[in-house]
Amino acid sequence: RQECVNRSAELLMLEDQDELDFIKETVQKPSSYLWIGLSLHATRKGWTWLNGSRLDQSRFQLSSRNKNSCGAIKGGTIIPESCSSGLQWICQKEATPL
């Protein structure tokens, strides 16, 4: 997360399956695991994006593997992963008008 903040960005927060499909097509290594801005905490019920919104289970199906998991993507799938795993990440930032 800090690497994204250092770039004036934030970890990716997906809106829908179309956006996930776009990322899958754009990433050059679709077999790579990439951190996104999704996590599951013991103090909250369910998966939550960095902005505080809940994961829409009708758009993305994801089960918890343990009480403190983080979200990653591999190809076109969101997967739970241990937050201590050393993975690459994908950031997003607002477009700059030209």
Side-chain angles (χ1 to χ4, degrees):
R1 183 177 184 182
Q2 189 60 45
E3 288 296 325
C4 291
V5 170
N6 292 345
R7 291 170 169 79
S8 300
E10 57 192 347
L11 284 168
L12 178 67
M13 292 179 279
L14 297 163
E15 294 290 324
D16 55 32
Q17 187 63 44
D18 289 340
E19 190 172 6
L20 181 56
D21 292 342
F22 173 78
I23 297 298
K24 177 184 172 186
E25 295 299 320
T26 304
V27 173
Q28 295 177 352
K29 296 179 182 178
S31 62
S32 296
Y33 289 82
L34 300 168
W35 286 126
I36 57 174
L38 184 65
S39 60
L40 176 69
H41 296 279
T43 58
R44 297 184 194 152
K45 302 277 190 216
W47 288 92
T48 307
W49 294 105
L50 287 176
N51 64 7
S53 65
R54 301 279 302 247
L55 176 70
D56 184 343
Q57 293 285 335
S58 68
R59 293 182 184 182
F60 304 107
Q61 295 299 313
L62 187 62
S63 62
S64 61
R65 202 186 313 175
N66 59 43
K67 296 270 189 254
N68 191 15
S69 293
C70 292
I73 56 173
K74 180 180 181 188
T77 306
I78 299 176
I79 57 167
E81 185 63 47
S82 169
C83 297
S84 62
S85 297
L87 305 178
Q88 294 179 323
W89 56 91
I90 188 163
C91 303
Q92 70 181 33
K93 67 187 323 184
E94 293 294 321
T96 303
L98 299 176

